[in-house]
Amino acid sequence: MLGRLRSLEGSAAAAREAWPLMEAMYPVCRSITGDGVRQTLDLVQRALPLERSEVPTGTVVFDWEVPKEWNIRDAYVADTEGRRLVDFHAHNLHVVSYSVPVRRSMTLEELKPHLYSLPERPDWIPYRTTYYREHWGFCLKHRDLERFGAGPFEVVIDSTLAPGTLTYAECTIPGRTAGEAIIYTHTCHPSLANDNLSGIAAAVAVAQELRDEHPRLTWRFVFGPGTIGSLTWLSRNEHRLKRIKAGLTVGLLGDGGPLTYKRSRRGDRVTDRAAQQVLPRISPSARLVDFEPYGYDERQFCSPGFDLPVGRLTRSPNGKYPEYHTSADNLELLKPEYLAESIRALAAMIAVLDANRALRNLSPKGEPRLGKRGLYGSVGGTAPGEFEHALLWVLSLSDGDHDLLAIAERSGLDFGLLARAAAALEDAGLARTIEQDGPALKLEARA
Amino acid sequence: MLGRLRSLEGSAAAAREAWPLMEAMYPVCRSITGDGVRQTLDLVQRALPLERSEVPTGTVVFDWEVPKEWNIRDAYVADTEGRRLVDFHAHNLHVVSYSVPVRRSMTLEELKPHLYSLPERPDWIPYRTTYYREHWGFCLKHRDLERFGAGPFEVVIDSTLAPGTLTYAECTIPGRTAGEAIIYTHTCHPSLANDNLSGIAAAVAVAQELRDEHPRLTWRFVFGPGTIGSLTWLSRNEHRLKRIKAGLTVGLLGDGGPLTYKRSRRGDRVTDRAAQQVLPRISPSARLVDFEPYGYDERQFCSPGFDLPVGRLTRSPNGKYPEYHTSADNLELLKPEYLAESIRALAAMIAVLDANRALRNLSPKGEPRLGKRGLYGSVGGTAPGEFEHALLWVLSLSDGDHDLLAIAERSGLDFGLLARAAAALEDAGLARTIEQDGPALKLEARA
Amino acid sequence: MLGRLRSLEGSAAAAREAWPLMEAMYPVCRSITGDGVRQTLDLVQRALPLERSEVPTGTVVFDWEVPKEWNIRDAYVADTEGRRLVDFHAHNLHVVSYSVPVRRSMTLEELKPHLYSLPERPDWIPYRTTYYREHWGFCLKHRDLERFGAGPFEVVIDSTLAPGTLTYAECTIPGRTAGEAIIYTHTCHPSLANDNLSGIAAAVAVAQELRDEHPRLTWRFVFGPGTIGSLTWLSRNEHRLKRIKAGLTVGLLGDGGPLTYKRSRRGDRVTDRAAQQVLPRISPSARLVDFEPYGYDERQFCSPGFDLPVGRLTRSPNGKYPEYHTSADNLELLKPEYLAESIRALAAMIAVLDANRALRNLSPKGEPRLGKRGLYGSVGGTAPGEFEHALLWVLSLSDGDHDLLAIAERSGLDFGLLARAAAALEDAGLARTIEQDGPALKLEARA
């Protein structure tokens, strides 16, 4: 097991340390491409070494292609006196992301099809995008919209949509075996805090600690835009997908909703089974929900052509809290204790996934003599203790058909206790880890 | 999906139109062979083109052989004054079906072993048969039996049991693929209405509409006697059994009991899964019950040497309503609204079974761009609608391991919605139907 | 089915007859080796012919070796006046089993690490062993220990721990087929009644009756010490393990706890399925519990290198009744009615396991004509009786994938009724028993 990660489980310090990073990232106007993404990754890079990738516009990515790069300098709707009624500099949600440039005088009637507001939430600005259709628009509080006169208005969007690059970054923590795992978090949302500065911050917190461990698997923390970012990463890493043993998309980790794990497409993969072991012990209100093909980047990792063992960890899921995709998803929505619990859950899942493996009992005919190896009390007549039970369970099920998670599921014993028993049996020469490639796939196939 | 069948789902006209046919069939004295069967098929043939088969007595049918043909002209028990105490012409249930000829004077004591009545239902005539033992008998109201004196009685059965043929008929509606399906309904019961004029009438109503469709599967509606009829059909169609993808025996469809589907022998075949999707939506009181080897002709289709995906659709099952196999199972027991619901259920099951298929996602690596194909809204930021969800589910599970029924089971979405999504994806070139032979069997094997 | 065993199910005589044997065995000082074991087997041999095995000290048994043989003549702790404060002759639990010889004067302080008592049960003598570490000790009532002065004490254990043999015995009842089954009961406990004179007595009672049958399987009743005894038997019988179709370790069968069946390691083997059919019918309070790797000799039979279909039958399990492994586990704890129920359960499980088999329907296409073979009523129109239902179920599922237990599970019919139906079908030439080797394994693999 990974000791430093365990320490994370017990501490709220990482959550408190995450606040300045989130505060610095909040005002930046991110989108799926552009300088806002690069500025965000600059901030992350102060905490975590990142390898950056810039992928040119037009690069074919499966059924998609990398879009033009979007950058924006200014945007507003002004009245005839020049007063800005909607001003990008007041809140970067005011402009529909990927809006093409516009500079025009328009009546309200002409402008209306380009205005987005929430009548049922008149004080919140909605978040809208137009990545794949050349279009422009403004988002605003419905209360402000109601005050608009008939116009005319001066409508300006000073943006650029032009060939450039899509930017993503990853922090790779090398492992001792050929197996790999991935943590993906999206970086494309402008001034929205829970979605997804919280995910970025939690990933950074855990990756920082994991860098000082010697994990079994190679862990890749990827920071990229939603949909096109994960597709791009997948297209550039197709050769290594067969080595991916586990994975998570993470985000929406700072709000007050319960920890929510969304299962991978098959629903019985190692990541799903780890969540079942870990999350109820972190929080009794944690929920595990079944896969559905709508959501965040797990959609791409779990598409049938990849079908990777990738689940999703959030608190409130997408669309399931009122402030979702509005200006009310700001830093005040988040609390350190929620983020701390999320970090503990993420760290614990990584620790279990990294320690999980199948062993081979090297003395499978009858029980081996644990006593002569110092693993068992010598005066008989009373029942064995918890650790001795764990030794017996690991021996019993180390037959090539069960990994440590399966032993935890069947025995009801704590995964960490079983991992310590497994290590003791390996030290005593009574068991041996089965190499991941092949057997792991066999285990997956059986599950 | 089959549009005309859907229209059946919404209309009671078919049930009302069925009444004259049932009224015409009711008085005919049917048995497993003989002119009563032929007269019945003549009546059906007015509504539906039928291919008739006449199979000679003595033809070997697996462990059985086609019996002699039975016909009857008259039968009675008369007192010494010539008064008919039991008269075949009053009710054709009065004679035990397949009774050999008799013309004799007998005392009550001699006659008693040949008399069948229901002491607990003294006003009902029971229904009895003696197909496979040369025997004769009369069925009568227990109240009438109690009035019998000591005799002697003139006992006459003017029947013929002689070499002839067994008669069955089928209406074949050709499909676009090599797959086939069967609807079997028994035609051997004399004046019993629910069992099984209702089944004949429902099959006719649905077949009439299906003839105007272009179904995917070839549908065979078979009208034949119980047990020996299905055995005979099976023995003459053994070469095509491997093409049968689904099937139902139908009967007892006009009474007030809840819709009842009896699963096929394996219990997880496509017909069983269609019933699970369809019937609870037709009626909340619909029941699905497990296979057992007693019942109607599903016994033969599901025998281990055939093991076909054939379930059974009834309302009250055999033996589970008081009037079963008595003179009280007459046309007054039936109601148009019950038959209409049964017709809706049968039509809906056929529509689902015909539309069910597995597709192959042709763009399985990541999600394809639905927006550029006009299948998805272009302004992002809000959740997709129901149809878009259906598109994502079909794409996600069109991997060769799931048919549309499996996608309905997993997603909870309506089968019809998913079928429309599948068609849209095929039109857009994003998915392709997997040919039935082979993959369907693979799907069955996995289930 | 085995008729004499069925008679056991209905009689309490066997339990009453077991009492004198248990009374004779009770005072003998058994251990895992030594003359106490031989005396015990001499007593058993009066009731049951046994084949004895003597395996020399030092014989390698997988990861273990046969230990030195232990015998004891006397042991005591006496005060300076020679009064015995602890006396082996008063109760043979007083000496820790396998204690090495000692003859010394000691203070209480020196003696204390060698004394075992139960403060929470001050009137009971605990049972302790030191088989695999050269050590010695006394067990005593805590109340007595509290009266000890400071000493000095004369401490004597007149034992021998020297090269010799390990003794076990078996009674083999030859079967008609190549399949085998095993009943193992441990013989190593000194004056403890439930654990395990009750198990020995129950095994003897059932084996006596089974000897007069002609079972299908060869049944081996093995009487040997715990752990090292089953390991030794396994090491000397490895060539025949592949023929073992079922098995039980039995013990703790005379107390008032509910019948408790512990499943085999895989949990779905034929023995487990027989227990599910049998035990709830013997007693509504019977419990089936999942395998865990701690317990009695099922640990060895179920170790992953053997993975045999061996469960365990007890009443209260090890460690789950207060008197367990103390002097309070004496003959007064047991009652004939409890032992009688245990014997019924053991006999019934053996009868079902012996009768269980898969059949092949020899007329699988459609139903065969049962009527012409005298297996079915000839007048049709009413539902078949229970035996006819059983015939139909056996025919339906005799496809190579279901044994009689599977048919009982699916049909809900009584196993004995199905076994009679199977025999009738075999007599009529409609079904044939599938030979055990191969198909049985195939059935296991599917379960």
Side-chain angles (χ1 to χ4, degrees):
Chain A
M1 298 287 281
L2 303 165
R4 290 188 69 90
L5 281 185
R6 266 210 310 281
S7 75
L8 262 185
E9 297 173 26
S11 157
R16 286 193 303 272
E17 286 168 24
W19 238 252
L21 172 60
M22 293 197 293
E23 284 167 348
M25 294 189 289
Y26 182 75
V28 177
C29 184
R30 280 166 293 278
S31 185
I32 55 174
T33 61
D35 289 332
V37 178
R38 292 186 193 97
Q39 290 161 29
T40 301
L41 295 176
D42 289 344
L43 292 168
V44 170
Q45 203 148 1
R46 291 186 199 165
L48 201 65
L50 294 180
E51 185 181 350
R52 304 269 275 259
S53 296
E54 298 281 354
V55 184
T57 296
T59 302
V60 172
V61 175
F62 308 121
D63 193 50
W64 305 60
E65 58 181 62
V66 172
K68 291 177 186 162
E69 182 177 326
W70 183 69
N71 284 289
I72 184 161
R73 287 159 296 279
D74 196 6
Y76 58 87
V77 176
D79 62 17
T80 47
E81 279 108 87
R83 274 187 311 224
R84 293 189 169 197
L85 306 177
V86 185
D87 183 1
F88 168 69
H89 290 299
H91 205 299
N92 60 40
L93 286 183
H94 275 314
V95 71
V96 170
S97 192
Y98 259 66
S99 284
V100 292
V102 63
R103 185 174 300 270
R104 226 194 289 175
S105 177
M106 301 173 84
T107 63
L108 180 59
E109 199 176 325
E110 292 169 313
L111 183 56
K112 268 235 164 149
H114 296 270
L115 298 182
Y116 301 90
S117 69
L118 299 169
E120 70 282 11
R121 297 284 189 184
D123 291 319
W124 296 357
I125 309 164
Y127 165 56
R128 292 290 179 275
T129 67
T130 185
Y131 303 140
Y132 298 104
R133 181 172 66 119
E134 296 215 347
H135 178 69
W136 61 265
F138 288 89
C139 300
L140 68 165
K141 299 179 186 178
H142 194 70
R143 199 175 304 285
D144 290 343
L145 176 57
E146 285 177 318
R147 288 194 207 102
F148 273 38
F153 301 102
E154 185 194 2
V155 178
V156 171
I157 296 181
D158 178 14
S159 66
T160 321
L161 187 61
T165 60
L166 174 151
T167 311
Y168 70 84
E170 52 197 311
C171 171
T172 303
I173 301 165
R176 311 186 306 269
T177 65
E180 303 205 356
I182 187 168
I183 304 293
Y184 192 95
T185 195
H186 58 277
T187 53
C188 51
H189 285 34
S191 296
L192 298 167
N194 197 38
D195 181 12
N196 183 33
L197 302 182
S198 67
I200 296 170
V204 167
V206 174
Q208 283 177 319
E209 295 302 314
L210 191 58
R211 287 184 64 224
D212 294 325
E213 301 274 2
H214 300 285
R216 194 174 60 89
L217 303 175
T218 291
W219 286 87
R220 294 179 193 279
F221 289 75
V222 184
F223 302 84
T227 306
I228 189 67
S230 49
L231 288 166
T232 301
W233 188 90
L234 282 161
S235 76
R236 291 161 64 102
N237 289 273
E238 232 180 317
H239 60 287
R240 69 161 48 100
L241 299 186
K242 67 179 182 304
R243 295 207 293 270
I244 292 187
K245 307 299 179 195
L248 283 168
T249 60
V250 299
L252 295 74
L253 289 170
D255 70 298
L259 282 168
T260 304
Y261 175 77
K262 174 182 168 182
R263 294 187 180 91
S264 74
R265 179 172 171 275
R266 288 202 218 157
D268 58 3
R269 309 297 287 273
V270 70
T271 315
D272 307 314
R273 295 159 59 219
Q276 183 64 55
Q277 288 300 310
V278 166
L279 298 184
R281 296 177 193 234
I282 300 279
S283 165
S285 63
R287 299 177 308 170
L288 282 79
V289 299
D290 282 337
F291 179 77
E292 61 154 336
Y294 182 67
Y296 277 113
D297 290 285
E298 70 279 3
R299 297 160 71 161
Q300 312 308 328
F301 293 105
C302 293
S303 61
F306 302 128
D307 198 21
L308 290 170
V310 172
R312 185 187 74 189
L313 185 67
T314 64
R315 299 188 71 86
S316 291
N318 51 311
K320 299 294 185 192
Y321 58 103
E323 301 86 354
Y324 176 77
H325 278 193
T326 75
S327 54
D329 182 354
N330 56 42
L331 287 166
E332 282 165 37
L333 184 68
L334 312 189
K335 286 199 184 163
E337 58 262 38
Y338 302 146
L339 186 64
E341 188 185 69
S342 302
I343 291 172
R344 277 201 298 279
L346 180 57
M349 279 198 66
I350 289 174
V352 165
L353 287 166
D354 199 73
N356 186 49
R357 64 199 187 278
L359 293 97
R360 171 78 57 196
N361 179 339
L362 300 175
S363 182
K365 296 184 174 182
E367 284 173 25
R369 275 190 63 191
L370 297 173
K372 77 177 175 191
R373 294 171 176 93
L375 293 171
Y376 214 85
S378 62
V379 173
T382 55
E386 193 179 46
F387 185 69
E388 285 140 345
H389 261 294
L391 292 169
L392 293 177
W393 271 113
V394 174
L395 284 168
S396 181
L397 296 180
S398 287
D399 56 0
D401 283 340
H402 299 81
D403 57 11
L404 289 178
L405 276 167
I407 301 175
E409 290 157 7
R410 181 138 173 215
S411 68
L413 297 179
D414 177 73
F415 183 93
L417 177 69
L418 290 165
R420 288 195 295 283
L425 290 169
E426 288 195 281
D427 290 346
L430 288 172
R432 183 181 67 216
T433 292
I434 298 174
E435 281 312 308
Q436 279 290 308
D437 293 316
L441 295 176
K442 185 187 154 205
L443 285 170
E444 291 284 353
R446 283 180 51 95
Chain B
M1 298 286 283
L2 304 165
R4 291 188 68 90
L5 282 184
R6 265 212 309 281
S7 74
L8 264 184
E9 298 173 27
S11 157
R16 284 192 305 271
E17 285 168 25
W19 237 254
L21 173 60
M22 293 197 293
E23 284 166 349
M25 293 188 290
Y26 182 74
V28 178
C29 184
R30 281 166 293 277
S31 183
I32 56 174
T33 62
D35 289 331
V37 178
R38 292 186 194 96
Q39 291 161 28
T40 301
L41 296 176
D42 289 345
L43 292 167
V44 170
Q45 203 147 1
R46 293 186 198 164
L48 202 65
L50 293 180
E51 185 182 350
R52 303 269 276 258
S53 296
E54 298 281 355
V55 184
T57 296
T59 302
V60 172
V61 174
F62 308 122
D63 193 49
W64 305 59
E65 57 182 64
V66 173
K68 292 177 187 161
E69 182 177 325
W70 184 69
N71 283 290
I72 183 160
R73 287 160 294 279
D74 196 5
Y76 58 87
V77 176
D79 62 18
T80 48
E81 280 107 87
R83 274 186 311 223
R84 293 189 169 197
L85 306 178
V86 184
D87 183 2
F88 169 69
H89 290 301
H91 204 299
N92 60 39
L93 286 183
H94 276 315
V95 69
V96 170
S97 192
Y98 259 67
S99 284
V100 292
V102 63
R103 185 175 299 267
R104 224 193 290 178
S105 177
M106 300 173 87
T107 64
L108 180 61
E109 197 176 327
E110 291 168 313
L111 183 57
K112 269 239 165 147
H114 295 272
L115 299 182
Y116 301 89
S117 69
L118 299 169
E120 69 284 7
R121 298 284 189 183
D123 291 317
W124 295 356
I125 310 164
Y127 164 57
R128 293 288 179 275
T129 67
T130 183
Y131 303 140
Y132 298 104
R133 182 172 65 119
E134 295 214 348
H135 178 67
W136 60 266
F138 287 90
C139 301
L140 68 165
K141 298 179 185 177
H142 194 70
R143 198 174 306 284
D144 290 342
L145 176 59
E146 285 176 320
R147 290 196 206 101
F148 273 37
F153 300 102
E154 185 193 2
V155 178
V156 171
I157 297 182
D158 177 16
S159 66
T160 322
L161 188 61
T165 60
L166 175 149
T167 312
Y168 70 86
E170 52 197 311
C171 171
T172 303
I173 300 164
R176 311 187 306 270
T177 67
E180 303 205 357
I182 186 168
I183 305 292
Y184 192 95
T185 195
H186 59 278
T187 53
C188 50
H189 285 35
S191 297
L192 297 167
N194 196 38
D195 183 11
N196 185 30
L197 303 183
S198 67
I200 296 171
V204 167
V206 175
Q208 283 177 318
E209 295 302 315
L210 191 57
R211 286 183 64 222
D212 294 324
E213 300 275 2
H214 301 286
R216 193 174 59 90
L217 303 175
T218 291
W219 287 87
R220 294 178 194 280
F221 289 74
V222 184
F223 301 84
T227 306
I228 190 66
S230 50
L231 287 166
T232 301
W233 188 91
L234 281 161
S235 77
R236 291 159 64 100
N237 289 274
E238 229 179 322
H239 60 286
R240 68 162 48 100
L241 299 186
K242 67 178 182 305
R243 295 207 291 271
I244 292 187
K245 306 301 178 196
L248 284 169
T249 60
V250 300
L252 295 74
L253 289 170
D255 69 297
L259 281 169
T260 303
Y261 175 78
K262 174 182 167 182
R263 293 186 181 91
S264 74
R265 178 173 172 275
R266 287 202 220 156
D268 58 2
R269 309 297 286 272
V270 69
T271 316
D272 306 315
R273 296 159 59 219
Q276 183 63 56
Q277 288 301 310
V278 166
L279 298 184
R281 296 175 192 234
I282 299 279
S283 165
S285 63
R287 299 177 309 170
L288 283 79
V289 301
D290 282 337
F291 179 77
E292 61 154 337
Y294 182 67
Y296 277 113
D297 290 286
E298 70 279 4
R299 295 160 73 163
Q300 311 309 329
F301 293 105
C302 292
S303 60
F306 301 127
D307 198 22
L308 291 170
V310 172
R312 185 187 74 190
L313 185 67
T314 64
R315 299 186 71 87
S316 291
N318 51 310
K320 298 295 184 191
Y321 58 104
E323 301 86 356
Y324 176 76
H325 277 193
T326 75
S327 54
D329 182 353
N330 54 42
L331 286 166
E332 283 165 38
L333 185 68
L334 313 190
K335 287 199 184 162
E337 58 261 38
Y338 303 146
L339 186 64
E341 188 186 71
S342 301
I343 290 172
R344 276 202 298 279
L346 180 57
M349 280 198 66
I350 288 173
V352 165
L353 287 165
D354 199 72
N356 187 49
R357 63 200 187 279
L359 294 97
R360 171 79 57 197
N361 178 339
L362 300 177
S363 183
K365 295 185 174 181
E367 284 172 25
R369 275 191 64 192
L370 297 174
K372 77 176 175 192
R373 294 170 176 94
L375 294 171
Y376 214 86
S378 62
V379 172
T382 55
E386 194 179 46
F387 185 69
E388 284 139 346
H389 262 295
L391 293 169
L392 293 177
W393 272 111
V394 174
L395 284 168
S396 181
L397 296 180
S398 287
D399 56 1
D401 284 340
H402 298 81
D403 55 13
L404 289 178
L405 276 167
I407 301 175
E409 289 158 8
R410 182 138 173 215
S411 68
L413 297 178
D414 177 72
F415 184 92
L417 177 69
L418 290 165
R420 287 195 296 282
L425 291 169
E426 289 195 280
D427 289 347
L430 288 172
R432 183 181 67 218
T433 292
I434 298 174
E435 281 312 306
Q436 278 290 307
D437 293 316
L441 295 176
K442 186 188 154 203
L443 285 170
E444 291 284 356
R446 282 180 52 94
Chain C
M1 298 286 284
L2 303 165
R4 290 188 68 89
L5 281 184
R6 266 211 310 280
S7 75
L8 262 186
E9 296 172 29
S11 157
R16 286 194 303 271
E17 285 168 25
W19 238 254
L21 172 61
M22 293 198 293
E23 284 166 347
M25 293 189 291
Y26 182 74
V28 178
C29 184
R30 281 166 293 277
S31 184
I32 55 173
T33 63
D35 289 331
V37 177
R38 292 185 194 97
Q39 291 161 28
T40 301
L41 296 176
D42 289 344
L43 292 168
V44 170
Q45 204 148 2
R46 292 185 198 166
L48 201 64
L50 293 180
E51 184 182 349
R52 304 269 276 258
S53 296
E54 298 281 355
V55 184
T57 296
T59 303
V60 172
V61 175
F62 307 122
D63 194 50
W64 305 62
E65 59 181 61
V66 173
K68 290 178 187 163
E69 182 177 325
W70 183 69
N71 283 289
I72 184 161
R73 287 158 297 277
D74 195 7
Y76 58 87
V77 176
D79 63 16
T80 46
E81 279 109 87
R83 274 188 310 224
R84 292 189 169 197
L85 306 179
V86 185
D87 183 1
F88 169 69
H89 290 300
H91 204 300
N92 60 38
L93 287 183
H94 275 315
V95 69
V96 169
S97 193
Y98 259 68
S99 283
V100 292
V102 62
R103 184 173 300 270
R104 224 194 290 178
S105 176
M106 299 173 85
T107 64
L108 180 60
E109 198 176 325
E110 291 168 313
L111 183 56
K112 269 237 163 144
H114 296 270
L115 298 181
Y116 300 89
S117 70
L118 300 168
E120 69 283 11
R121 297 284 190 184
D123 291 317
W124 294 357
I125 310 164
Y127 165 56
R128 292 290 179 275
T129 67
T130 184
Y131 302 140
Y132 297 104
R133 182 174 63 121
E134 296 215 347
H135 179 66
W136 59 266
F138 287 89
C139 301
L140 68 165
K141 298 180 185 178
H142 194 69
R143 199 174 307 282
D144 291 342
L145 177 58
E146 284 177 321
R147 289 196 207 102
F148 274 37
F153 301 101
E154 187 194 1
V155 178
V156 171
I157 296 182
D158 179 15
S159 67
T160 321
L161 187 61
T165 59
L166 175 151
T167 311
Y168 70 85
E170 52 197 311
C171 171
T172 304
I173 299 165
R176 309 186 307 270
T177 66
E180 303 205 356
I182 186 168
I183 304 292
Y184 192 95
T185 195
H186 59 277
T187 54
C188 52
H189 285 35
S191 298
L192 297 168
N194 197 37
D195 183 9
N196 183 33
L197 302 183
S198 67
I200 297 172
V204 167
V206 175
Q208 283 176 319
E209 296 302 314
L210 192 57
R211 286 184 64 224
D212 294 323
E213 300 274 3
H214 300 286
R216 193 174 60 89
L217 303 175
T218 291
W219 286 88
R220 292 178 195 279
F221 289 74
V222 185
F223 302 83
T227 306
I228 189 68
S230 50
L231 288 165
T232 301
W233 188 89
L234 281 161
S235 77
R236 291 160 63 101
N237 289 274
E238 229 178 322
H239 59 288
R240 68 162 48 100
L241 299 186
K242 68 180 180 304
R243 295 207 291 270
I244 292 186
K245 307 300 179 196
L248 284 168
T249 60
V250 299
L252 295 75
L253 289 171
D255 70 299
L259 282 169
T260 304
Y261 175 76
K262 174 182 167 182
R263 294 188 181 91
S264 74
R265 178 174 172 275
R266 286 201 220 158
D268 57 3
R269 309 297 288 273
V270 69
T271 315
D272 307 315
R273 295 160 59 219
Q276 183 63 56
Q277 287 301 310
V278 165
L279 298 184
R281 295 175 193 233
I282 299 280
S283 164
S285 62
R287 299 176 309 170
L288 282 80
V289 299
D290 281 337
F291 179 78
E292 61 153 337
Y294 182 67
Y296 277 113
D297 291 285
E298 70 279 4
R299 298 160 71 162
Q300 312 308 329
F301 293 105
C302 293
S303 61
F306 301 127
D307 199 21
L308 291 170
V310 172
R312 185 185 74 188
L313 185 67
T314 64
R315 298 188 71 86
S316 292
N318 51 311
K320 297 295 184 190
Y321 58 103
E323 302 86 354
Y324 177 77
H325 278 193
T326 77
S327 55
D329 181 353
N330 55 42
L331 288 166
E332 283 164 38
L333 184 68
L334 312 190
K335 287 198 184 164
E337 57 262 38
Y338 302 146
L339 187 64
E341 188 184 71
S342 302
I343 290 172
R344 277 202 299 279
L346 180 56
M349 280 197 66
I350 289 174
V352 165
L353 288 165
D354 199 73
N356 187 49
R357 64 201 186 278
L359 293 97
R360 172 77 59 197
N361 178 340
L362 299 176
S363 183
K365 294 185 176 183
E367 284 173 26
R369 275 190 63 191
L370 297 174
K372 75 176 177 193
R373 295 170 175 96
L375 294 170
Y376 214 85
S378 62
V379 173
T382 57
E386 195 180 45
F387 185 70
E388 285 141 344
H389 261 295
L391 292 169
L392 294 177
W393 271 112
V394 174
L395 285 168
S396 182
L397 296 180
S398 287
D399 57 0
D401 284 339
H402 299 82
D403 56 12
L404 289 178
L405 276 167
I407 301 174
E409 290 158 7
R410 182 136 174 218
S411 68
L413 297 178
D414 177 73
F415 183 93
L417 177 70
L418 291 165
R420 287 195 296 284
L425 291 169
E426 288 195 281
D427 289 348
L430 288 173
R432 182 181 70 216
T433 292
I434 298 174
E435 281 313 306
Q436 277 291 306
D437 292 317
L441 295 176
K442 185 188 155 203
L443 286 170
E444 291 284 355
R446 282 180 52 95

